[in-house]
Amino acid sequence: MSAERTEHALSEDMVEDRGDSASQDAAAEKPSAANRLEEEGDIAADYLEELLDIADIDGDIDIEVRNGRTYISIVADDDSEGLESLVGEDGEVLEALQELTRLAVLSATETRSRLVLDINGYRQERTGHLQKIAEDAAASVKENGKPVALEPMSAYERKIVHDAVADLGLVSESEGEGNGRHIVVSAD
């Protein structure tokens, strides 16, 4: 297996030193948070590299830290059938793998991780689909004034829809519990 790792740290995660004590205190705290996220990414990448080796699946691992969260992407140069199996139907295997990776980080650091795992751009593609769902629901609410209940989705996906609905000037709330948790879009 040829797993290659690339790391990115965006400048928004860095703190400028302005010379005053408050800035120095913030600068002293921020690198530790950035270092924690980088360590989280390294642990997650090691875990995922080992998993890919065991499954004999080729993929490159990219680590990016942005907005206070670690993003791990696994991509292949071609449409690797093995990577697609790690996404599963409706991203179910990807969600489980993300949770296992978070547990591996928790085990190593004793700190809960909020890392996001993506495989072959599935989450980016899904985000576009979720935004379309939000737009369609908003159009329906504006047209007939009745609330629209969406299909159940993960917390990560609900966050994307909530943001999209808010951008469209409507209100959304999560309802239900567990696997049945879903969003209801309304005008107020």
Side-chain angles (χ1 to χ4, degrees), residues 1-72:
M1 193 203 93
S2 62
E4 186 176 307
R5 200 184 299 181
T6 311
E7 298 184 36
H8 301 278
L10 299 182
S11 60
E12 65 192 48
D13 291 328
M14 307 309 283
V15 175
E16 292 179 22
D17 184 7
R18 298 185 188 121
D20 60 27
S21 63
S23 293
Q24 289 173 352
D25 289 344
E29 290 175 18
K30 197 65 170 181
S32 66
N35 288 342
R36 181 184 57 77
L37 292 173
E38 288 175 14
E39 176 188 15
E40 184 177 284
D42 288 338
I43 292 166
D46 289 344
Y47 174 78
L48 292 166
E49 279 181 29
E50 191 172 322
L51 177 85
L52 291 174
D53 282 340
I54 291 168
D56 195 27
I57 298 173
D58 288 333
D60 295 332
I61 299 174
D62 182 39
I63 305 169
E64 186 175 349
V65 175
R66 66 177 189 264
N67 301 326
R69 189 175 274 205
T70 304
Y71 292 83
I72 309 285

Side-chain angles (χ1 to χ4, degrees), residues 98-108 112-113:
Q98 176 177 278
E99 203 52 42
L100 288 172
T101 305
R102 287 176 173 178
L103 288 172
V105 171
L106 174 64
S107 176
R112 178 101 170 103
S113 171

